[in-house]
Amino acid sequence: MNVIAVACVRDEFDVIEAFVRHNLAYANRLIVLDNGSSDGTRDVLDALQGEGLPLDVLSDPSPGKQLSKRMTMLMRDHAVRRHGADWVLPLDADEFVTVAGDGPLVPEGASVDQPLRLTWLSYLPDVSDDPAEVNPVVRIRHRLMDEPEQRVIKVFVPGKLAGCAGAVLEPGNHEFSLAGRVCPSAPHDRACLAHFPVRSRGQFVAKTVIGNLQNLVMAFHDPRWGAHHRTYYDLLQRDPHAFSSDFASWLRTHHVYQFCRGRSAMPEPLAYRGGPLCYTPLSNEAAQSWKPILHYARDLARRYGLLKESLTEDQQVSLEQQVDVFAFLRQQLDLREQSIFQHGQPAQLQQHIHAAELRLQALERQHQQQLQAADLRAQALEQQRQEQVRQANGQLQTLTQQLQTAEAHLREAQQREAQQREAYLREAYLREAHLREAHLRMETQRLDRELRHSLTWRVGRLALWPARVLRRGWYQCRSAVASLR
């Protein structure tokens, strides 16, 4: 049975290695989409992939908690179409599969026409946890004795349904819908998901802040999405030291996620099947919280700056006004939601809230249209910039070619000049040698003439005349004697 698990993660450095190693004991392959992590999560994923584990790592750094869209894409395009999944298991990075008796994850005889639902086993930190233990799912050993009455479920989808047109994983992977209708799910009797949403104070602060900002980035979203993030984000705004005391005890006195106030916990550690961790050091809580928060804030500021620069002056003013109105309406809706939670839901108040939500949706649609226009303008500017870059590159290439041609001509001219200089020097040397030779010959002739006309020459000739006469006579006698013989 080909079981493919899919997950979308962001800044889960403390748990991502344990998540991958453990869940691959139940799934044939794990596909993880990294949503712009800045705390080292992507480095750990790349290292695990380098080990040869059946792990696919994708990237989408765009802001906004588009969880349904991203998870649906992973389920349909990658798990089913690329890897031929028989079953698709959508997971969060803090969810660990556990099966009673270590049996197969897919029960025998399970229908492929209906999703299965897996319930949570909720784990939370305790004062008895070993702070030196790096693996959070080994360190955190206590889980709730009794889960909330309406237990949170996650769907386990057959590949036959996951590959259909119109198949959608709803936000949080709590439901699966087909052609706009939620498909009923059947209970899984032997498998659960051990859930570790809160692992340390630093991780909880980062998750709260970034989770709330991820929801605010999306112009159109259900106000009920991320209510838990918004609640504790507001608490941090009012009191930055809200979580600075005994964090484990604080969790038990507040309604954090499904950790309802007053619920007791019992020691029941997860049967971890991932083996030792190789890339997860013991992290500092301050770095674990502030590093991803600051990185996300910087990313939002850069994107906002680029968006604002692509708008005209009138559009910038309109954008600021829309943001102010949107913030005011959101504040009013939050106040009324708190009032409803405290005093019930009067019909008149519900009507006012509904009307405000409609106005807010209309405002968000207008705001979205302006953003789309700004995006088009930004795309046009980007295309214009790319065209200018292409033209500049073309001009640079032309100038480079001209420069290379000029350098070649210069080298040829220098070579010709060197050859001409060498020929000139050779000719000058030969001319000078000829002149010296002619001068020497003339000087020799002059000296010879002077010698012949000198008294010494004449006296010498007279002194040598008898000797010449005797030599001539001796030659004549020797010739005569030779003839007589």
Side-chain angles (χ1 to χ4, degrees):
M1 192 68 69
N2 188 19
V3 178
I4 306 295
V6 297
C8 179
V9 303
R10 182 187 179 98
D11 297 323
E12 303 282 4
F13 176 72
D14 66 318
V15 77
I16 191 64
E17 183 179 0
F19 166 78
V20 172
R21 293 187 185 279
H22 175 85
N23 288 316
L24 279 178
Y26 296 95
N28 300 94
R29 179 169 292 274
L30 178 58
I31 305 172
V32 179
L33 174 66
D34 179 60
N35 185 213
S37 297
S38 61
D39 64 344
T41 298
R42 181 57 189 265
D43 296 334
V44 175
L45 289 172
D46 291 341
L48 291 170
Q49 191 178 38
E51 289 186 4
L53 297 179
L55 172 67
D56 293 351
V57 182
L58 309 177
S59 179
D60 178 10
S62 60
K65 202 165 188 177
Q66 307 285 350
L67 189 59
S68 175
K69 178 181 177 182
R70 293 185 178 114
M71 292 296 290
T72 300
M73 179 270 295
L74 293 177
M75 173 186 70
R76 183 176 57 244
D77 298 343
H78 291 269
V80 177
R81 296 179 182 174
R82 183 178 178 184
H83 294 290
D86 297 317
W87 286 80
V88 181
L89 177 62
L91 294 172
D92 294 336
D94 53 12
E95 295 173 342
F96 292 74
V97 176
T98 175
V99 180
D102 289 335
L105 179 58
V106 180
E108 185 178 355
S111 173
V112 296
D113 298 319
Q114 186 179 26
L116 296 175
R117 60 175 179 266
L118 307 177
T119 56
W120 269 350
L121 296 178
S122 304
Y123 285 77
L124 69 162
D126 188 80
V127 292
S128 63
D129 294 343
D130 181 8
E133 175 58 54
V134 174
N135 192 336
V137 301
V138 175
R139 181 179 68 249
I140 301 173
R141 308 172 68 252
H142 289 73
R143 74 171 185 89
L144 295 182
M145 293 181 63
D146 53 337
E147 297 285 343
E149 294 180 359
Q150 294 182 348
R151 299 189 67 176
V152 179
I153 66 166
K154 294 298 185 82
V155 291
F156 185 23
V157 187
K160 175 183 177 181
L161 298 180
C164 294
V168 174
L169 278 172
E170 298 298 334
N173 310 323
H174 301 300
E175 293 178 329
F176 173 80
S177 62
L178 194 60
R181 299 181 61 182
V182 176
C183 295
S185 57
H188 197 308
D189 297 331
R190 302 177 64 251
C192 295
L193 294 179
H195 188 215
F196 296 81
V198 181
R199 301 178 292 277
S200 68
R201 180 169 50 245
Q203 174 265 335
F204 180 65
V205 170
K207 187 172 185 176
T208 296
V209 174
I210 295 178
N212 188 58
L213 295 179
Q214 285 273 67
N215 284 318
L216 291 178
V217 165
M218 296 184 293
F220 295 100
H221 72 277
D222 191 325
R224 295 169 295 182
W225 292 357
H228 50 291
H229 293 316
R230 186 166 63 251
T231 299
Y232 291 99
Y233 184 90
D234 295 340
L235 178 59
L236 279 175
Q237 282 187 313
R238 294 192 301 270
D239 181 11
H241 304 287
F243 312 138
S244 299
S245 59
D246 185 356
F247 185 63
S249 300
W250 182 88
L251 286 175
R252 288 170 171 76
T253 58
H254 291 75
H255 187 169
V256 179
Y257 301 113
Q258 75 280 10
F259 301 150
C260 299
R261 181 181 304 173
R263 293 187 180 272
S264 57
M266 62 179 179
E268 187 179 307
L270 170 70
Y272 176 70
R273 298 182 59 184
L277 304 185
C278 302
Y279 313 109
T280 309
L282 192 63
S283 59
N284 179 274
E285 280 200 357
Q288 191 176 6
S289 60
W290 287 111
K291 182 179 179 181
I293 291 174
L294 294 176
H295 183 276
Y296 190 71
R298 182 181 62 184
D299 185 51
L300 288 181
R302 287 176 175 174
R303 292 175 183 271
Y304 177 77
L306 290 174
L307 174 63
K308 192 171 182 180
E309 287 298 322
S310 67
L311 301 176
T312 64
E313 185 176 353
D314 292 339
Q315 289 175 331
Q316 291 182 14
V317 174
S318 176
L319 176 62
E320 295 297 335
Q321 292 174 350
Q322 296 282 352
V323 170
D324 292 339
V325 174
F326 176 81
F328 173 76
L329 290 177
R330 176 63 66 188
Q331 182 181 11
Q332 296 300 313
L333 285 176
D334 291 342
L335 292 174
R336 294 189 179 189
E337 182 180 357
Q338 294 176 5
S339 176
I340 290 173
F341 181 76
Q342 295 175 358
H343 305 291
Q345 300 184 4
Q348 184 178 3
L349 190 58
Q350 278 293 99
Q351 293 176 359
H352 288 312
I353 292 177
H354 182 65
E357 289 180 346
L358 292 178
R359 289 196 300 272
L360 179 61
Q361 291 175 1
L363 182 61
E364 288 177 341
R365 283 194 294 271
Q366 182 180 358
H367 181 63
Q368 185 70 14
Q369 291 173 358
Q370 293 179 350
L371 290 178
Q372 291 175 354
D375 288 339
L376 293 176
R377 179 176 174 81
Q379 292 175 3
L381 291 174
E382 180 65 20
Q383 292 176 356
Q384 182 179 358
R385 186 188 67 79
Q386 292 178 356
E387 181 63 27
Q388 292 175 351
V389 170
R390 282 195 294 270
Q391 293 177 358
N393 289 335
Q395 294 176 356
L396 180 61
Q397 291 177 358
T398 302
L399 291 175
T400 303
Q401 292 175 357
Q402 293 176 354
L403 179 61
Q404 293 174 351
T405 303
E407 289 178 347
H409 291 165
L410 178 61
R411 285 194 297 270
E412 292 177 359
Q414 290 174 345
Q415 292 175 357
R416 286 197 301 270
E417 182 181 359
Q419 293 172 357
Q420 291 174 358
R421 187 184 301 110
E422 185 179 358
Y424 173 76
L425 292 175
R426 188 183 300 110
E427 183 180 356
Y429 175 77
L430 293 175
R431 189 163 53 247
E432 184 179 358
H434 292 160
L435 288 174
R436 285 198 301 269
E437 184 179 358
H439 178 73
L440 181 62
R441 188 167 52 251
M442 291 174 61
E443 186 69 18
T444 303
Q445 292 174 358
R446 184 183 66 77
L447 291 175
D448 187 50
R449 284 195 301 271
E450 290 180 353
L451 182 62
R452 289 178 182 275
H453 290 85
S454 66
L455 179 62
T456 303
W457 175 265
R458 292 176 180 178
V459 171
R461 286 180 65 84
L462 288 175
L464 294 174
W465 182 80
R468 292 207 309 269
V469 171
L470 290 174
R471 187 177 60 179
R472 188 182 301 115
W474 183 78
Y475 280 127
Q476 290 176 355
C477 290
R478 192 176 64 176
S479 299
V481 171
S483 61
L484 291 177
R485 289 178 182 178

